[in-house]
Amino acid sequence: MRILLVAGSGWRAAAPEVARAAARAWSSAAPRDAVVAQALADGGPGFVEVARPLMAADPGLLVLETALAPEGPAGAGTTDLVAGTSLELGRMLGAALATDARTIALGLGPAPVHGWADGGAGLLVGLAEVLGVPVPGRDRLVAGGAGLGGVRATDLPDVARLRRALGARDVVGAYRSSDPVLGLAGLAAGLAEARRLDPVVAQALEHNLGDLAHALAALAGLAGRDLLAGSGPAASVRALGALPGAGGGAALVLHALGVRLAPGLRVVADRAGLDAAINGSDVVVVVVPAVDGGEMHDGTVALVGELALEVAVPVVVVAGHCVAGRREWAAAGISAVYEEPRRSAAASDVLGVVPRVARTWSR
């Protein structure tokens, strides 16, 4: 049999290591099967590690991630998140433009990982400085989300010039969560709900990010159009606010710079030829820490299930624990879900289930 083993993200170990270990575990129980291992990443921590084979296969591809340009430690507190800046991320992106890369994929991880929630204001400054573009309101833009109150279009660098610099490359911002920058389900609200920000601080951050969106929208033609929202500055702000809040809201500025935004899993899957690999398999096995609401909505299980359903290839999921009901995962194209008996999400424990699954499904 032809088995495709796909490891999702969220492990303490690197996803490629989990994928290879899962393949060995399957082969130990079903040695005659031809097993191929594939790791996926969603744009968060580990995005670059998963993409290394893709960069090796295509020298014109350069993959970066926000976790490589931290301004605050993982687990940063309230003050760090609102004062942290994405300045180094902008410098990293500027440095990437000096390479021969034709495609630059930038993984946008969650705010608590890299320690900022500034809507990409610091990124704008870092990129402008590398390219030699003046920034009138530099001090305000690098003061983190807490310093963005009252920011105006006149504080920003020449965004059109930065767009032209990026326009010569295919730059993509790879995100996991589609939760928006602004609103009741936005970046600030999510940080408050996760108890990473005091509600009062989160409300101020929401207001400040809104000011940044207004400043960007004031630059005619840079915010893009939303046919449902209408036209004019207010509509542009609504369109910008609905962008993914990944990367500490950096998608806000990246969109204004003309960067293409796409789900990180899709970016890796398309580059790795996942659809063709699934089509050429008899069974696809997905190994993830948990099958929860996020995994079923926009995670590895949801993506693999969708692709496999199109070509009628069965998908089996091995997870530490599963909170999704049978009706939900079956509708997503999943044939079976196997949980670790103790509901442990540790990779070593979950991989211990793989040989039993191999004996069940191999023929």
Side-chain angles (χ1 to χ4, degrees), residues 138-164:
R138 184 189 187 282
D139 291 345
R140 171 173 282 173
L141 295 174
V142 298
L148 293 175
V151 65
R152 298 176 180 273
T154 53
D155 293 316
L156 306 180
D158 186 343
V159 175
R161 184 174 167 185
L162 300 182
R163 281 172 65 96
R164 289 193 294 271

Side-chain angles (χ1 to χ4, degrees), residues 268-351:
V268 175
D270 290 346
R271 279 278 173 174
L274 183 64
D275 52 352
I278 290 175
N279 192 31
S281 302
D282 296 309
V283 177
V284 179
V285 181
V286 180
V287 185
V288 292
V291 181
D292 52 17
E295 191 63 51
M296 294 304 303
H297 174 62
D298 55 11
T300 303
V301 171
L303 174 61
V304 173
E306 176 188 340
L307 296 177
L309 197 57
E310 295 175 356
V311 291
V313 174
V315 177
V316 178
V317 176
V318 182
H321 64 275
C322 176
V323 296
R326 181 183 183 89
R327 181 177 298 179
E328 183 179 4
W329 52 254
I334 308 304
S335 299
V337 175
Y338 294 84
E339 287 185 284
E340 202 280 330
R342 296 167 298 176
R343 297 174 63 83
S344 168
S348 57
D349 293 334
V350 175
L351 293 176

Side-chain angles (χ1 to χ4, degrees), residues 54-152:
L54 304 179
M55 289 189 283
D58 180 4
L61 172 66
L62 177 62
V63 179
L64 310 170
E65 65 178 82
T66 54
L68 297 181
E71 191 64 19
T78 299
T79 303
D80 295 310
L81 281 177
V82 297
T85 172
S86 55
L87 177 66
E88 291 301 325
L89 179 63
R91 290 171 174 168
M92 187 168 68
L93 180 57
L97 295 178
T99 69
D100 295 328
R102 297 183 302 273
T103 300
I104 301 171
L106 177 59
L108 303 174
V113 170
H114 43 64
W116 68 72
D118 68 346
L123 181 156
L124 200 58
V125 175
L127 179 62
E129 290 181 343
V130 171
L131 297 178
V133 179
V135 185
R138 184 189 187 282
D139 291 345
R140 171 173 282 173
L141 295 174
V142 298
L148 293 175
V151 65
R152 298 176 180 273

Side-chain angles (χ1 to χ4, degrees), residues 183-269:
L184 294 177
L187 173 61
L191 290 172
E193 184 178 356
R195 299 184 178 181
R196 304 310 300 267
L197 287 182
D198 179 86
V200 175
V201 176
Q203 188 174 12
L205 176 61
E206 171 78 8
H207 179 273
N208 292 354
L209 291 174
D211 285 350
L212 178 60
H214 275 277
L216 291 168
L219 301 173
L222 295 183
R225 298 184 59 192
D226 186 330
L227 297 179
L228 296 179
S231 59
S236 295
V237 171
R238 286 194 292 271
L240 286 169
L243 293 169
L252 189 65
V253 159
L254 289 172
H255 175 77
L257 292 174
V259 171
R260 177 168 56 94
L261 301 174
L265 287 172
R266 288 279 183 182
V267 172
V268 175

